[in-house]
Amino acid sequence: MAPTAQEIRFCTSRDGTRIAYAICGSGPLLIWVQHWLHHLESDWDSPVWRPWLSKLAQRYTIVRFDWRGCGLSDREGVEFSLDKYADDLEAVVKSIGAGPFALFGMSDGGASAVSCAVRHPDRVNRLVLFNSQTRGRFVRNSAPDQVADVQTRFNVFELGWPNEIPAFKRFHASVLMPDASSAQISAHGDLLHLATLPANAVALIETFLRYDMTATIEQVRCPTLVMHTRGNSLLPFEEGRRIAALIPGARFVPLESRNHILVDTEPAWQQCMAAIEDFLPGETVKSPDGRAPLLDGLTAREHEVLELIAQGLDNASIAGQLRVSQKTVRNQVSIIFSKLGVNSRAQAIVRARDAGFGRRTAARQ
């Protein structure tokens, strides 16, 4: 069930379409532009999406919205295009009156996230792209067999969806999550029918077949994290590599999975969450007297590591507590030292404790 803290609101896009969005969690603002196959309320009941929401809402104030034609947003009489999807995101951003915020673009939601980052370089402070693409399928390859494959999938949508044929649910889930459990596949099928209508789904997918975001992606200037599953059959791994190569200084994290939508029962999901926490800024830490931040610039994961350093833990103990390798901890500690401008662990501990770290052990227990 959705948490009581979730607030659902509505805003109006440029063409008059009503867009439903929800706010939950606490911490720095993160606008999550999900895949179109979502429902603001029902996602919380899904064993696929509930772990994502629960994990992210622990650290961030999450804003997400139902795509036009889907969920609680207007479903009938709406038009579909990349420009309109971008307008919908703009409407959400305007409605919440967001100051600086991070963007998380997932799958086809990456196109709108990229456009927003380029439009608002002064407001978007971080960009995360997960299993996104630079070009639609027919731009990459418009051979007859590719066109026939897409048309076959559309036919399955139109015939199998309205009749709630179990085989259709398994077919669609097998494309997105070939390694999901039976419970996750069943939940995905249920969400499919709640999210939208077959005609809307086909219209949505068609808009992503022939677009090319290369020129826009090259204009992104904010720090960017790109993640892509290596065995992804829906959007090739090469597309993730291409995005990371087009954005100056982008960090690329390959994920060992065949799933387009990661599930929390696979190691790649844990790796994905760790990468996000390491990349996105955490809560600003202030000095004990409440003055200006002393340690601004550290990510959420770096704050966590610094807290353990301040408590006197060595790298091996930190690795064990965070369930990561000692090499990962060594690298994080080195980055923290550089950001703090210190040369030794002792100096880091003094700096951290002056800022209030190392004093929260009792409160956590």
Side-chain angles (χ1 to χ4, degrees):
M1 296 179 61
T4 56
Q6 173 170 283
E7 297 181 13
I8 297 177
R9 304 174 184 174
F10 290 86
C11 61
T12 303
S13 193
R14 185 192 298 269
D15 66 354
T17 301
R18 288 175 300 180
I19 303 298
Y21 67 94
I23 304 174
C24 65
S26 61
L29 183 60
L30 174 63
I31 299 180
W32 185 9
V33 191
Q34 299 171 284
H35 185 273
W36 60 266
L37 210 170
H38 284 274
H39 191 293
L40 292 178
E41 292 181 302
S42 300
D43 281 357
W44 285 98
D45 297 320
S46 168
V48 175
W49 293 115
R50 186 172 57 246
W52 285 85
L53 287 165
S54 298
K55 183 70 172 178
L56 291 174
Q58 290 176 4
R59 288 179 174 269
Y60 313 107
T61 298
I62 306 298
V63 176
R64 58 198 180 94
F65 61 95
D66 283 335
W67 286 45
R68 58 174 53 220
C70 302
L72 297 176
S73 294
D74 283 352
R75 294 195 183 196
E76 298 181 2
V78 298
E79 298 179 7
F80 301 96
S81 71
L82 262 67
D83 287 340
K84 292 190 180 297
Y85 305 149
D87 287 343
D88 296 345
L89 175 55
E90 288 286 320
V92 172
V93 170
K94 182 178 179 181
S95 181
I96 62 177
F101 59 90
L103 272 172
F104 179 11
M106 173 177 281
S107 187
D108 291 329
S112 299
V114 165
S115 294
C116 185
V118 171
R119 289 186 190 183
H120 302 291
D122 56 329
R123 299 174 70 186
V124 178
N125 54 30
R126 290 283 197 283
L127 174 64
V128 178
L129 296 173
F130 171 79
N131 278 346
S132 297
Q133 61 181 344
T134 61
R135 304 158 296 176
R137 182 171 181 176
F138 289 169
V139 176
R140 299 194 305 268
N141 186 349
S142 59
D145 63 321
Q146 296 293 314
V147 177
D149 179 72
V150 170
Q151 189 56 57
T152 298
R153 296 190 185 195
F154 285 167
N155 291 338
V156 172
F157 268 47
E158 293 168 352
L159 295 174
W161 193 320
N163 300 319
E164 297 196 25
I165 300 173
F168 165 71
K169 294 181 179 180
R170 291 194 296 272
F171 164 77
H172 194 268
S174 68
V175 174
L176 295 177
M177 305 177 297
D179 294 329
S181 69
S182 58
Q184 291 161 339
I185 289 174
S186 176
H188 173 82
D190 293 339
L191 183 59
L192 191 66
H193 288 275
L194 290 169
T196 190
L197 304 172
N200 285 346
V202 170
L204 271 163
I205 296 171
E206 283 183 330
T207 61
F208 289 100
L209 293 175
R210 297 179 175 84
Y211 80 102
D212 190 337
M213 291 283 293
T214 301
T216 305
I217 291 172
E218 290 177 333
Q219 298 176 52
V220 173
R221 291 296 179 267
C222 64
T224 303
L225 169 66
V226 181
M227 296 180 288
H228 212 97
T229 52
R230 199 181 295 275
N232 194 323
S233 64
L234 189 65
L235 299 182
F237 182 70
E238 178 57 31
E239 281 299 294
R241 294 180 65 250
R242 191 167 188 266
I243 290 174
L246 289 170
I247 300 175
R251 183 188 307 180
F252 183 61
V253 176
L255 302 170
E256 299 300 330
S257 174
R258 297 195 304 161
N259 291 337
H260 181 65
I261 298 175
L262 292 178
V263 292
D264 70 325
T265 49
E266 58 182 323
W269 187 84
Q270 302 291 346
Q271 183 186 1
C272 175
M273 290 296 105
I276 291 173
E277 291 176 5
D278 184 56
F279 178 72
L280 293 181
E283 290 280 18
T284 299
V285 178
K286 295 185 178 181
S287 60
D289 60 5
R291 292 179 301 181
L294 291 178
L295 305 179
D296 192 21
L298 297 187
T299 66
R301 176 49 67 94
E302 288 163 0
H303 276 138
E304 191 171 4
V305 171
L306 185 58
E307 168 64 23
L308 297 175
I309 291 173
Q311 292 177 19
L313 275 64
D314 59 18
N315 287 357
S317 299
I318 294 173
Q321 186 155 329
L322 298 181
R323 297 182 180 180
V324 297
S325 70
Q326 291 190 47
K327 179 180 179 182
T328 296
V329 173
R330 285 198 303 272
N331 291 338
Q332 290 172 335
V333 169
S334 177
I335 292 172
I336 291 170
F337 284 9
S338 177
K339 288 184 177 182
L340 296 182
V342 300
N343 299 315
S344 69
R345 203 177 195 88
Q347 291 176 338
I349 290 174
V350 170
R351 181 75 184 278
R353 289 182 176 174
D354 285 345
F357 286 84
R359 304 174 185 178
R360 298 189 285 271
T361 306
R364 290 184 175 185
Q365 293 176 341

